[in-house]
C-alpha cells in the first residue's frame, strides 16, 4: 500500500477509506513512539534534502544536518555531474569531513576533493579515498575499503531526496507513486529567487506538520494577515496517494490584487500579477492540478510523507509566488526544526524585487501566525488532558498522514 | 551613500532609520518600531510609491549604486513594513503570532543591491 496509488477513493467511501474517528494524541508526545518513528519512518523513507540549484556547480556541496539520525548528509555534485550523498563522517576515526555551520552548510570541493582536518584523509567527490597520509603505517590496509559511507540519493523534478536505509524497499519514484505524476512537469527550476526561514519549535514534528496541512485554520489564524483569503477560502480536490495526499485551495476572488487589496498590496501585488514572468500561469500547472482551470485557484497543497509540504502556486494566490515548501525535521519528541522557503522567478529590475519583498513579507507573517499555535498544542498534548483529537473534512490530509504513520510504526521488519 | 535621488528628497528624514541594506537589519528596525513611526513612514511614502517603482524599474538588480541603492533599501523596508500599517494597526508584532525574533532568516545578512 505504501507509495502506490490506491484505487481512487472518494469522500462517500467512508471518508476516502479513512473513517471519521478522532486521532490519538500519543504519537505526538511519546518518547517510545518517537524512537520507533525514527527507525521505521525517518531512516526508511525518502526525505527531500536539497534542490539541484543548491549544488549547481561540479564540486558544489550542501551539508544537511539530520539530528534524528545523529548524522549529516553531504550532498555533492561529482565530476561526472552526478549528485551523490554521503555521511559527513570520516571513515578513519569519525571526524566531520566538512566542518558544519548550523543546520545547513554550503561550499565547493576544490579540485573535487574533500579533506578531513583531523588527519588529512582526502576523499574524492565520488566518495572514494584519494589519499591517506602515512598510508604505509597502516598494516594490512586497503584504502579502497574506506570510501565515505554513501547514502542512497535520487532526484525528482530537481528535488534531491535521500534514503538512509542501505537497501530501500522502494525507489524514489515508486515511493512517490501517483504523487510524482500529479506534481511533475512544473518548472520548479525556473524559480530560483528564494527566501528561507527556519526556527526550532518546542513541539513534535507532527504537531507542526499537521498545523500546516489543513485549510480549516485559515479563516481564524490568518484573519490578521490574509483577511481576504480567510473570508473566501475553499479547500477541496483531495486526493490520496498511499501515505502522501494532496488538495487545493481556491478563493472566491475579489477585485484587486490577490490576497488582500490594501493599497500597497494592490500596487505591488498588482505589478507582479500583470507581469508575464511573475503573473498567474494556468498553462504551466501540471494537468491534474486545478483541473477545471479556474481563475479562483490559489495553490495546490500536498503532504509528501513524512515531512515535506510543497505548495504550487504558479503566480496565483500570493502575487508572483511560484511555489513554496515547508519541512519538519525532528530533533527530539518535543523539538523540531521547521524550514519554510518561498520561491519566486528572478526579478527583472529593482521595482519587481521590492514587490517580491512585500509578498514574501506577507507570507512570512502568515507563517508567524501558523507557528504561533504549535508550542501550545504540544504543551496541551503533553498535559494528558486530551487523549484524542476530532478532525473535520478539511483536515483529511492529517488523517491520512496519521493513519500511514501508524502503519509504518507498527509494521514489523 | 545615504542620500536619495532628488525627486524623493522629501523622504530623506526616513533614510537613517529605514534604509537598511539587509533583511536582518530591516527586521530589527521593524520589530522595534512604534505605531507613530510606522504610520509616519507609511503615510509619507505611499503617495510617492508609483514614482519610486517607476524609478527603480530602470535598474536591474546588481546595477544600483549611490542614491539609487539608498532608494532601493528604503523601498524594501517600506514593502516589508507595509502590513504593519495596513493590517496590524501599527503594531510591531504580527498579532497572535510566534515571536518574530525566533525566525532565522537564512539570507538575512546578504546585502541587497
Amino acid at each position: 500500500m505504501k507509495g502506490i496509488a490506491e484505487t481512487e477513493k472518494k469522500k462517500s467511501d467512508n471518508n476516502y477509506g479513512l473513517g471519521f474517528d478522532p486521532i490519538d494524541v500519543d504519537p505526538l508526545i511519546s518518547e517510545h513512539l518517537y524512537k520507533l518513528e525514527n527507525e521505521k519512518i525517518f531512516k526508511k523513507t525518502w526525505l527531500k534534502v536539497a534542490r539541484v540549484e543548491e549544488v549547481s556547480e561540479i564540486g558544489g556541496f550542501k551539508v544537511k544536518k539530520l539530528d534524528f539520525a545523529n548524522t549529516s548528509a553531504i550532498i555533492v555534485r561529482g565530476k561526472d555531474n552526478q549528485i551523490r550523498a554521503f555521511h559527513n563522517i570520516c571513515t578513519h576515526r569519525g571526524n566531520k569531513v566538512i566542518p558544519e555551520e548550523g543546520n545547513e552548510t554550503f561550499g565547493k570541493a576544490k579540485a573535487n576533493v574533500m579533506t578531513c582536518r583531523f588527519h588529512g584523509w582526502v576523499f574524492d567527490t565520488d566518495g572514494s579515498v584519494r589519499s591517506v597520509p602515512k598510508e604505509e603505517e597502516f598494516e594490512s590496509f586497503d584504502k579502497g575499503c574506506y570510501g565515505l559511507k554513501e547514502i542512497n540519493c535520487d532526484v525528482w523534478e530537481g528535488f534531491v531526496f535521500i534514503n538512509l536505509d542501505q537497501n530501500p524497499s522502494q525507489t524514489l519514484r515508486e515511493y512517490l507513486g501517483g504523487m510524482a505524476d500529479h506534481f511533475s512537469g512544473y518548472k520548479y527550476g525556473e524559480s530560483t529567487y528564494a527566501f528561507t526561514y527556519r526556527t526550532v519549535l518546542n513541539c513534535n514534528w507532527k504537531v507542526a506538520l499537521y498545523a500546516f496541512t489543513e485549510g480549516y485554520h485559515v479563516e481564524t489564524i490568518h484573519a490578521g494577515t490574509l483577511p481576504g483569503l480567510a473570508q473566501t477560502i475553499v479547500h477541496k480536490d483531495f486526493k490520496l496517494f498511499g501515505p502522501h495526499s494532496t488538495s487545493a485551495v481556491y478563493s472566491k476572488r475579489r477585485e484587486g490584487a490577490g490576497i488582500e487589496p490594501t493599497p500597497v498590496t494592490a500596487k505591488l501585488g498588482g505589478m507582479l500579477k500583470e507581469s508575464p514572468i511573475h503573473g498567474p500561469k494556468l498553462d504551466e500547472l501540471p494537468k491534474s492540478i486545478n483541473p477545471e482551470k479556474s481563475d479562483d485557484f490559489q495553490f495546490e497543497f500536498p503532504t509528501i510523507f513524512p515531512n515535506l509540504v510543497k505548495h504550487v502556486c504558479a503566480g496565483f494566490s500570493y502575487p508572483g509566488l511560484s511555489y513554496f515548501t515547508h519541512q519538519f525535521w525532528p530533533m527530539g519528541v518535543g523539538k523540531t526544526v521547521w524550514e519554510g522557503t518561498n520561491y519566486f522567478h528572478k526579478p527583472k529590475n529593482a521595482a519587481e524585487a521590492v514587490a517580491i519583498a512585500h509578498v514574501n513579507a506577507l507570507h512570512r507573517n502568515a507563517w508567524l501566525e501558523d507557528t504561533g499555535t504549535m508550542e501550545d498544542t504540544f504543551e496541551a498534548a503533553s498535559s494528558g488532558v486530551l487523549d484524542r483529537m476530532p478532525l473535520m473534512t478539511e483536515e483529511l490530509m492529517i488523517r491520512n498522514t496519521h493513519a500511514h504513520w501508524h502503519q509504518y510504526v507498527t509494521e514489523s521488519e | 551613500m545615504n542620500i536619495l535621488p532628488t525627486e524623493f528628497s522629501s523622504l530623506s528624514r526616513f533614510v537613517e532609520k529605514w534604509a537598511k541594506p539587509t533583511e536582518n537589519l530591516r527586521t530589527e528596525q521593524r520589530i522595534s518600531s512604534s505605531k507613530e513611526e510606522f504610520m509616519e513612514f507609511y503615510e509619507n511614502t505611499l503617495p510617492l510609491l508609483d514614482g519610486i517603482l517607476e524609478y527603480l524599474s530602470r535598474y536591474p538588480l546588481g546595477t544600483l549604486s549611490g542614491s539609487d541603492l539608498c532608494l532601493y533599501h528604503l523601498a524594501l523596508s517600506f514593502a516589508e513594513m507595509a502590513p504593519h500599517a495596513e493590517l496590524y494597526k501599527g503594531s510591531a508584532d504580527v498579532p497572535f503570532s510566534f515571536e518574530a525574533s525566533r525566525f532565522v532568516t537564512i539570507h538575512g545578512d546578504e546585502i541587497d543591491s
Side-chain angles (χ1 to χ4, degrees):
Chain A
M1 177 170 174
K2 274 185 275 177
I4 297 161
E6 297 173 69
T7 322
E8 200 165 313
K9 285 190 176 125
K10 298 189 173 70
K11 194 173 177 185
S12 54
D13 303 329
N14 190 30
N15 200 22
Y16 302 83
L18 293 168
F20 296 95
D21 290 342
I23 58 166
D24 54 336
V25 169
D26 216 27
L28 307 180
I29 53 171
S30 157
E31 285 281 358
H32 168 67
L33 293 174
Y34 172 71
K35 284 183 185 134
L36 270 183
E37 72 182 2
N38 253 350
E39 296 304 320
K40 297 197 169 197
I41 297 177
F42 280 89
K43 292 183 184 173
K44 296 280 183 199
T45 58
W46 289 92
L47 306 169
K48 186 224 110 184
V49 288
R51 277 289 309 167
V52 289
E53 295 84 16
E54 292 178 300
V55 288
S56 56
E57 289 179 74
I58 302 283
F61 64 75
K62 171 180 184 176
V63 186
K64 177 85 188 164
K65 196 151 179 51
L66 306 169
D67 294 280
F68 62 90
N70 298 313
T71 189
S72 301
I74 304 173
I75 299 105
V76 59
R77 192 183 284 270
K79 289 191 290 287
D80 56 359
N81 212 25
Q82 277 288 311
I83 295 174
R84 296 181 180 82
F86 304 99
H87 287 278
N88 186 19
I89 293 175
C90 178
T91 47
H92 173 219
R93 279 175 45 214
N95 189 41
K96 285 186 189 301
V97 177
I98 294 170
E100 295 173 31
E101 293 159 23
N103 213 276
E104 292 185 343
T105 305
F106 293 88
K108 192 176 171 193
K110 283 181 194 146
N112 288 293
V113 296
M114 301 174 282
T115 305
C116 177
R117 293 172 58 82
F118 198 176
H119 301 94
W121 283 37
V122 180
F123 298 91
D124 191 281
T125 48
D126 68 7
S128 59
V129 182
R130 277 271 192 98
S131 68
V132 170
K134 300 185 187 172
E135 186 180 342
E136 65 286 358
E137 301 284 333
F138 289 86
E139 294 291 331
S140 323
F141 175 74
D142 176 4
K143 69 173 185 271
C145 300
Y146 287 92
L148 291 175
K149 298 289 184 189
E150 192 157 2
I151 302 170
N152 283 292
C153 179
D154 202 354
V155 178
W156 169 78
E157 289 286 344
F159 294 93
V160 183
F161 286 75
I162 58 166
N163 191 321
L164 291 172
D165 192 344
Q166 288 188 7
N167 298 297
S169 61
Q170 292 174 304
T171 63
L172 172 62
R173 193 61 183 71
E174 287 166 348
Y175 176 69
L176 293 175
M179 200 66 169
D181 299 326
H182 190 68
F183 278 91
S184 286
Y186 187 67
K187 295 174 182 169
Y188 302 100
E190 290 185 3
S191 309
T192 54
Y193 197 66
F195 298 79
T196 299
Y197 300 89
R198 179 183 297 134
T199 196
V200 175
L201 297 160
N202 295 314
C203 73
N204 185 267
W205 68 277
K206 294 186 291 306
V207 168
L209 171 74
Y210 291 177
F212 272 118
T213 53
E214 43 90 354
Y216 188 26
H217 70 275
V218 173
E219 288 176 46
T220 36
I221 284 291
H222 298 313
T225 294
L226 312 169
L229 183 64
Q231 289 160 25
T232 58
I233 182 172
V234 181
H235 187 195
K236 58 179 191 176
D237 293 356
F238 288 95
K239 284 196 177 76
L240 309 181
F241 302 106
H244 318 298
S245 49
T246 192
S247 60
V249 164
Y250 294 80
S251 166
K252 292 194 178 62
R253 204 165 285 251
R254 307 155 147 210
E255 287 303 304
I259 295 296
E260 180 68 16
T262 55
V264 171
T265 303
K267 179 75 64 192
L268 296 178
M271 192 173 115
L272 295 172
K273 288 272 182 197
E274 284 162 23
S275 147
I277 299 168
H278 305 285
K281 292 195 250 337
L282 264 181
D283 294 343
E284 290 196 2
L285 287 170
K287 281 198 181 71
S288 52
I289 293 180
N290 186 15
E292 289 168 11
K293 304 274 180 199
S294 166
D295 286 337
D296 294 339
F297 176 75
Q298 297 288 299
F299 49 80
E300 184 75 7
F301 178 24
T303 304
I304 300 173
F305 193 84
N307 70 337
L308 173 64
V309 183
K310 174 166 68 67
H311 300 61
V312 173
C313 318
F316 291 85
S317 63
Y318 305 92
L321 189 53
S322 177
Y323 73 99
F324 61 99
T325 58
H326 293 293
Q327 228 172 348
F328 311 91
W329 296 100
M331 299 176 77
V333 65
K335 208 169 182 189
T336 298
V337 176
W338 161 82
E339 294 164 342
T341 304
N342 289 319
Y343 294 89
F344 296 84
H345 289 86
K346 275 194 177 140
K348 71 174 195 292
N349 58 49
E352 285 189 356
V354 168
I356 287 172
H358 176 66
V359 173
N360 176 64
L362 269 178
H363 201 203
R364 181 210 49 220
N365 292 354
W367 289 347
L368 287 168
E369 293 170 342
D370 285 309
T371 45
T373 66
M374 296 170 185
E375 294 181 347
D376 287 349
T377 302
F378 182 70
E379 193 181 328
S382 304
S383 72
V385 172
L386 304 175
D387 59 356
R388 55 194 189 138
M389 294 176 170
L391 298 177
M392 53 84 87
T393 55
E394 290 172 23
E395 295 172 306
L396 185 77
M397 292 199 292
I398 298 176
R399 200 181 276 292
N400 190 57
T401 307
H402 206 74
H404 282 270
W405 180 92
H406 270 287
Q407 201 175 315
Y408 269 92
V409 166
T410 54
E411 211 163 64
S412 54
E413 290 300 318
Chain B
M1 201 199 309
N2 289 331
I3 296 173
L4 292 171
T6 334
E7 55 264 58
F8 306 110
S9 58
S10 64
L11 301 177
S12 295
R13 67 183 189 280
F14 299 113
V15 165
E16 192 185 342
K17 195 177 279 292
W18 293 99
K20 308 280 185 188
T22 70
E23 188 174 325
N24 276 348
L25 290 170
R26 294 190 296 272
T27 297
E28 212 174 283
Q29 166 60 29
R30 193 177 59 253
I31 63 183
S32 60
S33 291
S34 67
K35 181 177 180 176
E36 291 66 33
E37 286 170 321
F38 280 126
M39 299 321 288
E40 204 201 347
F41 182 34
Y42 177 80
E43 281 160 11
N44 285 280
T45 307
L46 185 61
L48 301 180
L49 184 56
D50 279 336
I52 292 172
L53 293 173
E54 204 278 314
Y55 189 98
L56 291 176
S57 69
R58 300 175 212 155
Y59 297 90
L61 289 188
T63 65
L64 296 144
S65 63
S67 59
D68 311 330
L69 187 59
C70 182
L71 180 67
Y72 178 49
H73 292 156
L74 190 72
L76 285 172
S77 216
F78 178 75
E80 290 163 358
M81 64 67 70
H84 296 262
E86 295 188 331
L87 295 166
Y88 314 140
K89 301 179 178 141
S91 160
D93 294 325
V94 177
F96 306 106
S97 78
F98 194 71
E99 216 176 306
S101 59
R102 284 177 61 191
F103 264 27
V104 177
T105 304
I106 301 310
H107 50 279
D109 289 329
E110 287 170 22
I111 290 175
D112 290 300
S113 63

